[in-house]
Amino acid sequence: LKSNPSNNEEKEAQTQLTKSDELQRLHSQALSAYQREDYVAAISLLDEILAVCVWDAELRELRAECYIKEGEPSKAISDLKAAAKLKNDNTEAFYKISRIYYQLGDHELSLSEVRECLKLDQDHKQCFSLYKQVKKLNKQIESAEEFIREGRYEDAINKYDSVMKTEPEVPVYATRAKERICHCLSKNQQATEAIKVCTEVLQLEPTNVNALKDRAEAYLLEDLYEE
């Protein structure tokens, strides 16, 4: 404006300057809310800022952290994917996305994202450690499913036992493994064991359709028609 004064531009500049001050104030409030662990308030404030500063990777990463704390992983993934595109060599975003997918039980997408991290930095310690874990788990699950397709149910059960040993910390993998073991036992006409394992799964997930069907098949083998 100093180099080229004009009434129209001055009005526009003042509007933008006022908006800029307002956004900086909101930013301070958002950081303050985050620090005192009021994540809902922080998200609300970050929503307002990101409506204007659409391309700010760091703000998206901060909002993703808030979503993670609030138990909304899919929203966190959306922000982290945007941040990965907006900032060059954003290994941290790929690592976090991979971790979230892994915690959700989506080992295939987790493997895909952690590979993106290693493409950017093959010496990234956290990504390499996660990569080894996910790759091992992924290979065991693929192998178990191959055994099931071939009707090798005992081998599949052994392999799913290995899956539970490989990942004892994330409950979703144990539940999925038990669901598949219940299927194998039912297919293998080991009715008593199938009913026991299927029941364990259904105590954790009462509406698990696969476990209900497999337990029903096992009940049929035992002539327990009412059940």
Side-chain angles (χ1 to χ4, degrees), residues 137-163 177 180-181 183-184:
L137 193 76
N138 196 53
K139 196 173 178 183
Q140 287 175 332
I141 292 170
E142 282 180 352
S143 177
E145 289 301 313
E146 184 62 31
F147 286 143
I148 290 172
R149 284 191 289 275
E150 292 170 3
R152 296 167 59 186
Y153 299 116
E154 284 295 336
D155 290 332
I157 288 166
N158 291 334
K159 193 57 76 171
Y160 269 119
D161 279 333
S162 300
V163 166
R180 298 306 277 155
I181 289 169
H183 175 72
C184 293

Side-chain angles (χ1 to χ4, degrees), residues 175 178 196-208 211 215:
T175 307
K178 283 182 181 176
K196 178 176 174 286
V197 177
C198 294
T199 301
E200 283 178 26
V201 175
L202 288 161
Q203 281 167 348
L204 296 166
E205 295 181 349
T207 57
N208 187 314
R215 189 169 69 173

